[in-house]
Amino acid sequence: RTNDQLVAFLSRYRDMNFLKSHGRDNARFIRKQGLDRLFLECDTHMWRLGDRKIPEGITVDGGSDWFLLNRKFVEYVTFSNDDLVTKMKRFYSYTLLPAESFFHTVLENSPFCDSMVDNNLRITNWNRKLGCKCQYKHIVDWCGCSPNDFKPADFHRFQQTARPTFFARKFEAVVNQEIIGQLDYYLYGNYPSGTPGLRSYWENVFEEPDGLGALSDVALTMFHSFSRLGLRRAESSFHAAGDNSCRYYPMGHPVSIHLYFLADRFQGFLIRHHATNLAVSKLETLETWVMPKKVFKIASPPSDFGRLQFSEIGTEWDAKERLFRNFGGLLGPTDEPVGMQKWGKGPNVTVTVIWVDPINVIAATYDILIESSAEFTHYKPPLNLPLRPGVWTIKILHHWVQVAETKFLVTPLTFSNQQPIKQEEAIKFHSGPPKNAYMEQSFQGLNPVLNIPVSAARADQAKRNAGLVGARLDAWVDSLVSSVWSAVDVCSVGATACPVLQGCAQTAWSSLSPDPKSELGPVKPDGRLR
C-alpha cells in the first residue's frame, strides 16, 4: 500500500501498538526461542552459556521483531525506571533474540497492555522447509529459522490479505528484482515507455575508500586479471595498425567493483580501473564488463538419463535461496568448494560425482542418492588443501556412463595479504596438496577406467608454474581466467584519447549508465522518492 494509506491508518489508530505474537503455546515458544537459556555475544559469536529460570509473576510473550510502537510506549521503555522495565532489560541482555520478545513481554505486563494489537501489518514469506536448516550455526549456538525472499509466483499473496498489511519481507534484488518491479507497477503504475535500466540491477561490492583490506587475495587477484582482460579487449577491438590511441598499460588497483544482473540473471562483474593511454601517456579511468563463460555441458551424445538440469561449483551455498552467495565463483587454493546439482522430477536414482584436478589427479569421488522429489543436492568433499590452481573438471555419471560435466577455476594468487606474492608463498599455495593426496584414499586406479590419462608433462608444467611470480605469474593467471571468463565490453569513465571508446554513461550495462528506478530525491506529493 502507499505511504498515504499508511499515514491515514496509523493516524486513526495512533494509541495502539502493533506486534505479532507467536500464538498460545507459551512453553513451546520459550523453548524454541531459548529464553530459558543464557546467551552472551563475544568475538562476533553468540555463545550459549547454560540454563536459567524465567522470571516469575509475568506473562512472557514474543513473536516477530518487526513491529510499530507508539510514542507513549517507546518513551516508557526508554526512560522508565520502574521494576518491570529495569528487570526485563537485565533479563533480555542475555537473550538470543531479545527484540523478538522484549517489547511483547513489557507491553503485555505494563499499564499499556490494552493497546496491543496482534498484527504487525506485514506479510512474511515463511517457507520453513527451506528456511529452518540451522544455516547460522557458525555464528550462533542455536538453530533458528529465516524467511525466504519473495518471487513473482508469490505476488498473489499481496492481493489476498484479509488483515491490514503495509509491509512485506524479504525482498532481495540479487535473488529476484522482478517482484519489486511488479509491486512498483501495482502501486504507482508503469514507468514511461523507453525508461532505461528497468530490468537491470547493479550492486556495489567494493569502492576505493573501503581500502584493499575489504578484498580477499582471491578477489584482488581476479579483479586485476579482469582489468587486464579489458585492456586486451580494448586493444583488439579498437586498435588500428600503427595507432596507439586505444592501447593501455594497467595502473594501480581497481577503484570500484559491481555485480551486474539483467532480467534476474547474473551477468558478471564491472571493474572500474585506471590505465595509461600509450598514445598520449595520460591516465584514464575505464570500466570493464567481464562475464562468465558457460562451463556446464550435457554429455554428447546425451544419455537416456534426463533428470540433471544443471551443476555448479562455488562457495557460500545458501540452502534457503538455493544459490551461491559467492557470485561468479571466485575460488583460490585455500577455499573449500561445494558441488551443487539441480534436478528435474523422476525416479529415485544414484549418481557418481568425480572431481578431477588440472593435471588429471582424481581428487574425490562419491555417490549421491537422488530422491524422486529432490530439486537440489549439494556436497562439500573434505579435500586436503591447498587445491592445485587451474581449471578443474567435475564429471557426473549414472551407471558409470557420463551424464554431464562442469568446470571451475581455482585461481593462482598474485597477492598475499594484499601485497604482491613472494616466491616462497607462491610455491606453498600453488603446488597442490602434499603427495597429490586430496583425501586419505587414493583414486588413482580410476584414471584408466574413466579414460582420464595422467600426463607427466602436465605435472612437470604445473610444478614450474607453482614458482612463478611477477609478470609471468600474471600471464599464467590471465590465461586461466580467460578460459572461463570473457571481457564483453569496455567504456570510458571520463575523457579518453581512444576515439571509438564509448562513454560509460551512454552504455546500457555500466554502473554509470542511467538507472531512473533507483534515483532517490526529495519526497514528492504522492509519497514517492523518485
Side-chain angles (χ1 to χ4, degrees):
R1 290 179 172 82
T2 64
N3 287 352
D4 286 345
Q5 289 171 302
L6 176 63
V7 169
F9 180 87
L10 293 180
S11 298
R12 185 177 175 187
Y13 299 107
R14 65 188 312 143
D15 292 329
M16 309 311 288
N17 290 288
F18 296 89
L19 303 90
K20 189 77 190 84
S21 178
H22 65 88
R24 295 181 181 176
D25 192 342
N26 240 26
R28 181 175 176 274
F29 174 75
I30 288 169
R31 285 195 310 274
K32 187 169 71 75
Q33 292 292 111
L35 290 173
D36 53 354
R37 310 290 176 94
L38 199 66
F39 285 87
L40 182 70
E41 186 176 0
C42 178
D43 294 335
T44 66
H45 189 94
M46 186 65 89
W47 304 92
R48 191 174 78 226
L49 303 182
D51 297 341
R52 67 173 177 180
K53 289 185 177 177
I54 301 295
E56 294 179 354
I58 63 162
T59 302
V60 175
D61 194 11
S64 171
D65 59 353
W66 297 86
F67 37 70
L68 294 91
L69 306 176
N70 66 32
R71 178 173 292 276
K72 285 181 190 172
F73 180 64
V74 169
E75 287 176 343
Y76 170 69
V77 294
T78 306
F79 301 117
S80 174
N81 291 317
D82 75 11
D83 243 18
L84 174 68
V85 173
T86 304
K87 286 179 179 175
M88 287 300 95
K89 283 182 179 176
R90 191 182 310 128
F91 178 78
Y92 282 100
S93 292
Y94 300 96
T95 301
L96 174 61
L97 295 164
E100 293 190 359
S101 180
F102 170 80
F103 295 97
H104 301 70
T105 300
V106 172
L107 181 62
E108 288 189 38
N109 292 275
S110 75
F112 299 90
C113 58
D114 290 341
S115 68
M116 178 172 171
V117 178
D118 186 17
N119 176 11
N120 63 351
L121 310 184
R122 68 190 66 231
I123 308 169
T124 302
N125 190 22
W126 287 110
N127 182 341
R128 295 184 191 276
K129 185 179 171 186
L130 294 175
C132 299
K133 292 184 177 288
C134 284
Q135 59 263 53
Y136 304 112
K137 290 285 277 187
H138 60 294
I139 54 171
V140 59
D141 294 344
W142 200 250
C143 280
C145 297
S146 181
N148 276 65
D149 294 329
F150 281 109
K151 293 178 181 170
D154 304 308
F155 188 75
H156 66 279
R157 294 181 58 191
F158 305 130
Q159 300 166 301
Q160 294 174 356
T161 54
R163 57 190 173 86
T165 311
F166 292 88
F167 304 95
R169 63 187 288 260
K170 295 178 175 181
F171 295 95
E172 194 178 3
V174 292
V175 174
N176 189 276
Q177 183 180 242
E178 184 184 349
I179 183 68
I180 302 171
Q182 282 182 324
L183 266 176
D184 207 42
Y185 170 70
Y186 173 69
L187 289 173
Y188 299 108
N190 249 338
Y191 282 90
S193 177
T195 301
L198 291 180
R199 303 181 76 206
S200 301
Y201 176 67
W202 296 265
E203 184 162 299
N204 179 270
V205 293
F206 173 75
E207 208 63 36
E208 199 169 28
D210 299 340
L212 286 184
L215 293 175
S216 68
D217 290 326
V218 175
L220 192 56
T221 295
M222 294 289 284
F223 295 152
H224 268 273
S225 181
F226 291 158
S227 302
R228 293 190 295 269
L229 292 189
L231 299 185
R232 235 168 272 138
R233 161 87 187 184
E235 182 176 347
S236 63
S237 301
F238 308 133
H239 174 63
D243 176 15
N244 279 346
S245 61
C246 297
R247 290 184 65 202
Y248 292 90
Y249 183 81
M251 297 293 289
H253 294 293
V255 294
S256 178
I257 309 291
H258 285 77
L259 303 172
Y260 174 44
F261 296 81
L262 180 64
D264 286 323
R265 289 186 179 274
F266 177 64
Q267 302 294 313
F269 289 97
L270 308 178
I271 296 90
R272 208 177 303 164
H273 52 104
H274 299 310
T276 298
N277 186 293
L278 297 182
V280 293
S281 299
K282 282 189 176 176
L283 199 65
E284 296 183 8
T285 304
L286 309 176
E287 189 165 52
T288 292
W289 170 16
V290 292
M291 179 186 281
K293 293 181 179 178
K294 288 183 175 153
V295 290
F296 172 71
K297 290 180 182 171
I298 297 288
S300 180
S303 72
D304 56 0
F305 176 79
R307 285 196 62 188
L308 182 65
Q309 296 179 350
F310 187 60
S311 180
E312 185 180 5
I313 310 299
T315 57
E316 300 174 41
W317 173 250
D318 182 339
K320 179 167 68 74
E321 300 302 338
R322 305 202 283 200
L323 52 79
F324 286 109
R325 292 286 175 174
N326 175 5
F327 291 99
L330 308 187
L331 300 173
T334 59
D335 282 312
E336 299 178 352
V338 173
M340 176 277 288
Q341 297 82 35
K342 183 180 180 185
W343 306 96
K345 287 190 166 46
N348 287 7
V349 290
T350 299
V351 299
T352 302
V353 182
I354 296 169
W355 294 54
V356 186
D357 93 344
I359 63 167
N360 282 357
V361 171
I362 296 177
T365 175
Y366 51 88
D367 290 343
I368 307 178
L369 171 64
I370 316 300
E371 295 183 350
S372 59
S373 60
E375 294 179 69
F376 288 85
T377 52
H378 67 280
Y379 180 67
K380 179 170 70 178
L383 301 174
N384 292 328
L385 303 177
L387 305 178
R388 177 169 283 106
V391 177
W392 285 57
T393 304
I394 307 296
K395 295 178 181 288
I396 300 171
L397 287 68
H398 181 233
H399 295 324
W400 290 93
V401 174
Q402 185 164 321
V403 173
E405 73 172 34
T406 191
K407 295 182 182 293
F408 70 97
L409 171 65
V410 174
T411 183
L413 301 175
T414 56
F415 292 91
S416 176
N417 295 318
Q418 288 84 41
Q419 297 296 320
I421 197 166
K422 294 173 181 168
Q423 190 169 47
E424 58 268 28
E425 291 178 303
I427 292 169
K428 174 182 148 191
F429 286 122
H430 299 162
S431 297
K435 299 179 183 175
N436 283 338
Y438 289 99
M439 301 180 95
E440 286 183 23
Q441 180 185 359
S442 169
F443 303 105
Q444 199 173 346
L446 287 174
N447 283 79
V449 176
L450 297 167
N451 196 23
I452 301 173
V454 178
S455 162
R458 268 170 117 173
D460 290 343
Q461 184 61 55
K463 197 172 181 179
R464 287 192 295 273
N465 287 343
L468 296 177
V469 290
R472 293 179 67 198
L473 175 57
D474 287 347
W476 180 35
V477 170
D478 291 353
S479 70
L480 291 171
V481 170
S482 60
S483 70
V484 291
W485 291 84
S486 57
V488 181
D489 207 352
V490 186
C491 64
S492 172
V493 173
T496 176
C498 178
V500 288
L501 204 57
Q502 199 174 11
C504 290
Q506 277 70 56
T507 71
W509 57 265
S510 166
S511 63
L512 297 171
S513 60
D515 186 21
K517 70 181 182 306
S518 301
E519 289 168 7
L520 304 182
V523 179
K524 296 178 181 178
D526 64 358
R528 296 197 72 165
L529 289 168
R530 53 185 191 272

